[in-house]
Amino acid sequence: MTDAEPRPSTVRERAFEILEHGRRRDLASRVLDWIMVIVILADVAVTLAQTQPEIQAAYGEDLQIFDRLCVLIFAIEYAARLWVAPEHLMLQKLSAWQARARFAGTPMMVIDALAFVPLILEILFPGVALIRLTRLVRFLKLARYSPALATIGRVIAAERRALLACVIILGGVMMAAAAAMHAVEGDVQPERLGDMSKAMWWSAAMLAKIGGGELTPVTAAGRMIAAITVMLGIFCFALPVAIIGRGFYEEIRRRDFVVTFALVAHVPLFSRLDAASISDLVGILRARTVPAGTVVIRKGEPGDAMYLIASGAVEVDAPTGKVRLEEGDFFGEMALLTRERRTATVTAIKSTDLLVLDCDDFHRFIDRNPDIGAHVRAVAQERTTGPVARVG
Ligand code: CMP
């Protein structure tokens, strides 16, 4: 290996960023995501096309080759994800192979591994056309590219007790309606309500508002029961929708606010911290999104917090001139260090996501991490005395 070549760990770090980190503005990462989405959709489309006899007869072999090519791409992707696994912050304490083994057990990696099962089945049972349909499991790989899908998964997990209660209510209502109808009209319409299985089918159809088939109650009591069942159906289905809807909203809001691990780990100031300290910070940092033009700090006010720019930019109206600070930079540290008033006005120049570290937390944090404290002091010093400072 020549000097000009990057070290393997650097290549792996970069591969990790592209594959796993999903950096918001990383073009390579986004391009790769799109390529994988297109390959997955193409493979699913090919599988569906192969169920059409005329297409299968005309292009069967070509489609087969295309499918094998897709599997090759999935295999390369899977191997690459395993290779970069030791770069995950949470796994960095493990040896490389331990990290890979642990990572292989994560839900998305299990789904990725499942994508190969159809090929194995096709090799083991050649000629069984139905086995080809198992390839449709690859559709699940799209979950990786839909953060909202993961959010719904979390919401369902969080609301599982309430949702279970809904299922119990629905089951109870279904059985009660079926029993009532069976009792009232079982003799009148024995072919449709003569036993509980028929009556259950009727009540399920009524509750789901798919009409109850051609069955019209013939007795007054039957009509009452049918009307109540329809009403209860609306209630039973509206309830879980409302629960999931509210949970989804809460989750999205929390995600905006609970600062993520990856976000904090990528702030240059914290880049040397270990995973435990970053986890602590995730708990104490607040997120604040400000629109362009918002005055975040006003000169002369007392200092109550330090800010880190997660995305966007601000302008500092410093005595030495206007300074633009961008993603990864911090500001508002001087008043906290000197316990005096703010030295400059700071205004957002675009919509900016800020991580806010309150004054007390700031002092506790730099006490616990003296080298970060020294760096912040050095930057503050440079900003006061030196030329216009740019922070790293
Ligand atoms: P503080 O005085 O608490 O509030 C205003 C902030 O603007 C200040 O902390 C610094 O973080 C920042 N600031 C002041 N002067 C400069 C400068 N010359 N370059 C960059 N940032 C500055």
Side-chain angles (χ1 to χ4, degrees):
M1 185 178 286
T2 66
D3 282 346
E5 279 172 4
R7 287 182 303 114
S9 70
T10 315
V11 175
R12 200 173 73 182
E13 269 170 37
R14 179 72 187 125
F16 168 74
E17 280 180 1
I18 295 173
L19 274 166
E20 292 292 337
H21 205 263
R23 288 212 299 190
R24 276 200 265 171
R25 294 191 184 82
D26 193 324
L27 184 66
S29 183
R30 273 187 300 175
V31 168
L32 181 83
D33 283 359
W34 275 110
I35 291 174
M36 289 314 299
V37 168
I38 290 167
V39 173
I40 296 164
L41 290 178
D43 189 51
V44 169
V46 161
T47 305
L48 296 180
Q50 280 185 291
T51 61
Q52 298 283 322
E54 60 281 20
I55 297 182
Q56 176 64 5
Y59 308 105
E61 267 184 29
D62 296 339
L63 295 179
Q64 186 78 346
I65 294 173
F66 182 81
D67 175 68
R68 298 289 185 267
L69 211 66
C70 290
V71 176
L72 180 68
I73 295 173
F74 295 150
I76 295 171
E77 182 211 4
Y78 186 78
R81 286 191 194 279
L82 274 188
W83 176 55
V84 303
E87 299 293 335
H88 279 273
L89 263 166
M90 296 310 228
L91 302 174
Q92 275 176 359
K93 288 213 174 87
L94 304 176
S95 74
W97 288 104
Q98 276 174 332
R100 287 182 184 122
R102 180 81 60 88
F103 189 59
T106 57
M108 276 321 299
M109 286 302 276
V110 172
I111 290 177
D112 283 349
L114 279 181
F116 304 120
V117 174
L119 178 67
I120 298 166
L121 290 178
E122 281 175 51
I123 292 169
L124 289 179
F125 307 101
V128 184
L130 270 182
I131 283 190
R132 219 182 280 135
L133 287 180
T134 59
R135 286 187 209 158
L136 294 179
V137 73
R138 291 174 193 154
F139 197 74
L140 294 178
K141 277 169 73 71
L142 286 180
R144 172 172 271 125
Y145 307 100
S146 168
L149 202 67
T151 307
I152 291 183
R154 273 199 302 276
V155 169
I156 291 177
E159 303 289 350
R160 62 189 179 284
R161 286 188 192 87
L163 291 173
L164 181 68
C166 291
V167 171
I168 293 171
I169 292 173
L170 182 65
V173 169
M174 202 165 93
M175 270 187 293
M181 205 61 175
H182 171 61
V184 172
E185 295 210 354
D187 294 335
V188 192
Q189 307 196 60
E191 71 292 354
R192 289 181 184 142
L193 296 166
D195 61 57
M196 268 306 271
S197 69
K198 288 176 185 155
M200 288 280 276
W201 166 247
W202 170 84
S203 70
M206 284 305 264
L207 285 171
K209 296 185 290 301
I210 56 173
E214 295 99 53
L215 188 145
T216 317
V218 289
T219 61
R223 279 193 287 274
M224 282 288 277
I225 295 168
I228 294 171
T229 308
V230 172
M231 297 300 165
L232 287 175
I234 297 171
F235 167 79
C236 285
F237 283 95
L239 203 59
V241 169
I243 291 171
I244 293 182
R246 196 213 44 172
F248 196 63
Y249 168 76
E250 289 286 322
E251 179 73 21
I252 296 275
R253 229 180 47 148
R254 208 167 29 230
R255 228 183 17 177
D256 272 352
F257 253 67
V258 173
V259 179
T260 64
F261 192 97
L263 195 66
V264 176
H266 262 80
V267 173
L269 185 63
F270 305 139
S271 59
R272 270 164 291 164
L273 290 178
D274 59 19
S277 311
I278 292 180
S279 293
D280 287 349
L281 270 174
V282 170
I284 58 173
L285 284 168
R286 282 184 293 120
R288 184 175 158 202
T289 302
V290 289
T294 309
V295 176
V296 184
I297 285 181
R298 213 175 286 277
K299 188 174 176 180
E301 281 178 353
D304 53 357
M306 182 177 115
Y307 299 84
L308 301 118
I309 306 175
S311 73
V314 299
E315 193 176 71
V316 182
D317 198 358
T320 43
K322 288 193 190 302
V323 183
R324 185 185 163 103
L325 299 178
E326 291 189 326
E327 192 175 318
D329 292 344
F330 61 84
F331 61 91
E333 76 294 350
M334 290 184 186
L336 304 192
L337 288 170
T338 58
R339 299 193 189 267
E340 286 176 15
R341 305 227 155 223
R342 297 291 196 191
T343 57
T345 295
V346 183
T347 313
I349 45 180
K350 36 173 130 156
S351 175
T352 302
D353 291 339
L354 296 168
L355 299 171
V356 187
L357 186 59
D358 286 331
C359 183
D360 291 344
D361 292 328
F362 168 79
H363 283 290
R364 258 195 300 275
F365 177 70
I366 58 171
D367 282 347
R368 256 187 274 135
N369 299 278
D371 48 349
I372 293 187
H375 175 68
V376 174
R377 275 193 194 89
V379 170
Q381 180 69 27
E382 201 185 339
R383 283 172 172 175
T384 334
T385 56
V388 170
R390 288 282 296 112
V391 195

PDB file of all heavy atoms in Angstrom, residues 311-322:
ATOM      1  N   SER A 311     -27.687  22.002  12.609  1.00  0.00           N
ATOM      2  CA  SER A 311     -27.764  22.283  11.172  1.00  0.00           C
ATOM      3  C   SER A 311     -28.220  23.724  11.017  1.00  0.00           C
ATOM      4  O   SER A 311     -28.868  24.273  11.905  1.00  0.00           O
ATOM      5  CB  SER A 311     -28.724  21.325  10.479  1.00  0.00           C
ATOM      6  OG  SER A 311     -30.047  21.648  10.810  1.00  0.00           O
ATOM      7  N   GLY A 312     -27.852  24.332   9.884  1.00  0.00           N
ATOM      8  CA  GLY A 312     -28.195  25.737   9.659  1.00  0.00           C
ATOM      9  C   GLY A 312     -27.002  26.637   9.909  1.00  0.00           C
ATOM     10  O   GLY A 312     -25.846  26.171   9.902  1.00  0.00           O
ATOM     11  N   ALA A 313     -27.235  27.908  10.160  1.00  0.00           N
ATOM     12  CA  ALA A 313     -26.142  28.862  10.372  1.00  0.00           C
ATOM     13  C   ALA A 313     -26.653  30.082  11.130  1.00  0.00           C
ATOM     14  O   ALA A 313     -27.839  30.413  11.056  1.00  0.00           O
ATOM     15  CB  ALA A 313     -25.557  29.292   9.033  1.00  0.00           C
ATOM     16  N   VAL A 314     -25.730  30.724  11.857  1.00  0.00           N
ATOM     17  CA  VAL A 314     -26.072  31.968  12.567  1.00  0.00           C
ATOM     18  C   VAL A 314     -25.015  33.021  12.248  1.00  0.00           C
ATOM     19  O   VAL A 314     -23.930  32.697  11.749  1.00  0.00           O
ATOM     20  CB  VAL A 314     -26.119  31.765  14.107  1.00  0.00           C
ATOM     21  CG1 VAL A 314     -27.177  30.752  14.508  1.00  0.00           C
ATOM     22  CG2 VAL A 314     -24.757  31.349  14.644  1.00  0.00           C
ATOM     23  N   GLU A 315     -25.361  34.257  12.537  1.00  0.00           N
ATOM     24  CA  GLU A 315     -24.387  35.334  12.351  1.00  0.00           C
ATOM     25  C   GLU A 315     -24.158  36.029  13.691  1.00  0.00           C
ATOM     26  O   GLU A 315     -25.131  36.380  14.382  1.00  0.00           O
ATOM     27  CB  GLU A 315     -24.912  36.324  11.324  1.00  0.00           C
ATOM     28  CG  GLU A 315     -23.844  37.283  10.856  1.00  0.00           C
ATOM     29  CD  GLU A 315     -24.378  38.182   9.777  1.00  0.00           C
ATOM     30  OE1 GLU A 315     -25.214  39.058  10.084  1.00  0.00           O
ATOM     31  OE2 GLU A 315     -23.954  37.998   8.625  1.00  0.00           O
ATOM     32  N   VAL A 316     -22.897  36.174  14.048  1.00  0.00           N
ATOM     33  CA  VAL A 316     -22.546  36.832  15.303  1.00  0.00           C
ATOM     34  C   VAL A 316     -22.157  38.271  14.974  1.00  0.00           C
ATOM     35  O   VAL A 316     -21.279  38.500  14.137  1.00  0.00           O
ATOM     36  CB  VAL A 316     -21.348  36.128  15.987  1.00  0.00           C
ATOM     37  CG1 VAL A 316     -21.012  36.802  17.319  1.00  0.00           C
ATOM     38  CG2 VAL A 316     -21.634  34.658  16.187  1.00  0.00           C
ATOM     39  N   ASP A 317     -22.833  39.214  15.619  1.00  0.00           N
ATOM     40  CA  ASP A 317     -22.492  40.621  15.401  1.00  0.00           C
ATOM     41  C   ASP A 317     -21.431  40.997  16.422  1.00  0.00           C
ATOM     42  O   ASP A 317     -21.684  41.697  17.396  1.00  0.00           O
ATOM     43  CB  ASP A 317     -23.766  41.466  15.566  1.00  0.00           C
ATOM     44  CG  ASP A 317     -23.604  42.831  14.943  1.00  0.00           C
ATOM     45  OD1 ASP A 317     -22.511  43.114  14.432  1.00  0.00           O
ATOM     46  OD2 ASP A 317     -24.587  43.608  14.978  1.00  0.00           O
ATOM     47  N   ALA A 318     -20.215  40.483  16.193  1.00  0.00           N
ATOM     48  CA  ALA A 318     -19.126  40.649  17.175  1.00  0.00           C
ATOM     49  C   ALA A 318     -18.476  42.024  17.036  1.00  0.00           C
ATOM     50  O   ALA A 318     -18.570  42.638  15.975  1.00  0.00           O
ATOM     51  CB  ALA A 318     -18.089  39.561  16.951  1.00  0.00           C
ATOM     52  N   PRO A 319     -17.810  42.484  18.118  1.00  0.00           N
ATOM     53  CA  PRO A 319     -17.128  43.783  18.050  1.00  0.00           C
ATOM     54  C   PRO A 319     -16.102  43.822  16.919  1.00  0.00           C
ATOM     55  O   PRO A 319     -15.835  44.875  16.330  1.00  0.00           O
ATOM     56  CB  PRO A 319     -16.438  43.895  19.414  1.00  0.00           C
ATOM     57  CG  PRO A 319     -17.151  42.935  20.297  1.00  0.00           C
ATOM     58  CD  PRO A 319     -17.695  41.856  19.426  1.00  0.00           C
ATOM     59  N   THR A 320     -15.543  42.651  16.584  1.00  0.00           N
ATOM     60  CA  THR A 320     -14.519  42.593  15.531  1.00  0.00           C
ATOM     61  C   THR A 320     -15.120  42.518  14.133  1.00  0.00           C
ATOM     62  O   THR A 320     -14.400  42.507  13.146  1.00  0.00           O
ATOM     63  CB  THR A 320     -13.648  41.345  15.751  1.00  0.00           C
ATOM     64  OG1 THR A 320     -14.506  40.252  16.072  1.00  0.00           O
ATOM     65  CG2 THR A 320     -12.633  41.553  16.852  1.00  0.00           C
ATOM     66  N   GLY A 321     -16.423  42.432  14.043  1.00  0.00           N
ATOM     67  CA  GLY A 321     -17.086  42.309  12.733  1.00  0.00           C
ATOM     68  C   GLY A 321     -18.076  41.162  12.751  1.00  0.00           C
ATOM     69  O   GLY A 321     -18.200  40.452  13.742  1.00  0.00           O
ATOM     70  N   LYS A 322     -18.766  41.008  11.631  1.00  0.00           N
ATOM     71  CA  LYS A 322     -19.771  39.938  11.586  1.00  0.00           C
ATOM     72  C   LYS A 322     -19.100  38.596  11.304  1.00  0.00           C
ATOM     73  O   LYS A 322     -18.218  38.511  10.459  1.00  0.00           O
ATOM     74  CB  LYS A 322     -20.799  40.236  10.494  1.00  0.00           C
ATOM     75  CG  LYS A 322     -21.744  41.374  10.858  1.00  0.00           C
ATOM     76  CD  LYS A 322     -22.916  41.414   9.911  1.00  0.00           C
ATOM     77  CE  LYS A 322     -23.763  42.658  10.063  1.00  0.00           C
ATOM     78  NZ  LYS A 322     -24.327  42.876  11.378  1.00  0.00           N
TER      79      LYS A 322
END
